[in-house]
Amino acid sequence: MPQPRFRTALIAGASAGLGAEFARQLAAAGTGLVLVARRLDRLEELAAELRSRYGIAVHAVQADLSTEAGLSAVEAQVTENNSLDLLINNAGFGGKTGFVRGEEADHLEMVRVHVDSTVRLTKAALPGMIGRGRGAVINVASVAAFSPFSGAMYSGTKAFLVMFSQNLQAEVKAKGISVQALCPGMTHTEFHEVAAIDKAIVPKPFWMTAEKVVRISLRKLGRGAVCVSGWKNKAIAFLMRCPATAAGVRAAGRSAAARRKAGEN
């Protein structure tokens, strides 16, 4: 049997969606797992499935990364794990209202989960990875990082993850560490139901499965700091950033209809 590419991966936000799919694909490759999420029942169910199917070590950690206690507990898991060579910062959620109408506490919680937890867990993981001369960090961002109408907080925090990943990769590449900002588009998970976004507004051809997004991410890891999954999402990201088309996209994004469809109002 070939050796797995990674010995141990810690996945934040592992109880559903992309996090659970990362767990399944890594487990199939023989990678030991530390699964982190708020919902212990889901974590334990997933952990039992993966242990039974693949015979790997799986440790479930219940933690709320929006709290100091939860984040500190996961930091300790990262620091104390001598075999951790892959960190996946996938914890996150979408906003249900715009910045003005939304509650300040909700906005700050998004910063804690998307930004603070990513920074602190990455900071905790890097010394061990650098000491061993190998490792990788995947920060799950979004094509919303390039969007002018996906919500000030959601797009803003995801844009941070992209720039953070690009700059960090430049800093640690020579030390044997790969950093990736994964930017999926519309993906079939429960994310949109939780965020109260109507999935029917996006045509079916623009949707991707979690299985495909994760497979692209793992295949592209180490081949560039930004991974936009799928050619359609690449085209969308290009149009939102290209000087010739960005003005039109921004104008469309200012319309109330576009903002309602994006779930901002």
Side-chain angles (χ1 to χ4, degrees):
M1 292 290 291
Q3 291 295 315
R5 184 176 179 185
F6 297 104
R7 292 181 61 192
T8 305
L10 185 145
I11 306 172
S15 62
L18 291 176
E21 184 59 34
F22 269 113
R24 290 189 173 97
Q25 292 193 28
L26 289 166
T31 302
L33 299 172
V34 180
L35 306 179
V36 178
R38 293 179 300 173
R39 295 172 289 189
L40 185 59
D41 56 338
R42 286 200 177 190
L43 281 183
E44 290 180 335
E45 181 180 350
L46 178 60
E49 171 198 330
L50 299 178
R51 290 190 200 104
S52 174
R53 186 171 183 181
Y54 299 109
I56 60 166
V58 185
H59 181 43
V61 179
Q62 182 182 29
D64 183 347
L65 295 180
S66 71
T67 68
E68 179 59 34
L71 183 49
S72 294
V74 181
E75 276 182 312
Q77 290 282 334
V78 170
T79 303
E80 295 166 6
N81 195 314
N82 293 324
S83 64
L84 182 69
D85 52 2
L86 176 60
L87 171 65
I88 301 177
N89 291 307
N90 174 65
F93 60 94
K96 296 183 179 180
T97 63
F99 182 80
V100 175
R101 291 181 56 208
E103 296 293 330
E104 179 180 330
D106 294 336
H107 299 330
L108 294 178
E109 181 180 5
M110 185 173 286
V111 172
R112 287 193 296 271
V113 174
H114 291 182
V115 176
D116 291 0
S117 70
T118 295
V119 170
R120 288 175 59 175
L121 295 184
T122 302
K123 183 69 171 175
L126 283 177
M129 292 182 183
I130 291 171
R132 293 184 289 274
R134 67 186 303 271
V137 178
I138 297 175
N139 298 318
V140 179
S142 169
V143 292
F146 315 114
S147 167
F149 53 86
S150 295
M153 292 306 302
Y154 188 76
S155 284
T157 54
K158 293 300 185 179
F160 169 85
L161 294 179
V162 171
M163 192 58 68
F164 173 72
S165 300
Q166 288 180 303
N167 281 270
L168 182 59
Q169 177 64 104
E171 184 177 342
V172 301
K173 185 175 182 179
K175 303 180 187 297
I177 313 300
S178 297
V179 182
Q180 179 191 91
L182 173 61
C183 298
M186 304 302 284
T187 307
H188 287 297
T189 68
E190 64 184 45
F191 172 90
H192 301 92
E193 287 82 354
V194 173
I197 297 173
D198 182 7
K199 296 172 68 173
I201 64 175
V202 178
K204 290 182 180 180
F206 287 94
W207 288 87
M208 294 181 70
T209 65
E211 186 275 336
K212 187 170 184 180
V213 171
V214 169
R215 196 163 300 284
I216 291 171
S217 171
L218 294 175
R219 187 175 71 245
K220 297 289 188 179
L221 188 56
R223 297 164 58 186
V226 179
C227 175
V228 180
S229 56
W231 70 267
K232 292 173 185 175
N233 290 323
K234 287 184 174 70
I236 291 169
F238 173 80
L239 291 172
M240 288 191 288
R241 291 181 291 176
C242 175
T245 55
V249 173
R250 286 195 297 270
R254 285 193 292 269
S255 74
R259 292 185 178 277
R260 280 196 299 271
K261 289 182 178 182
E264 183 180 319
N265 294 312

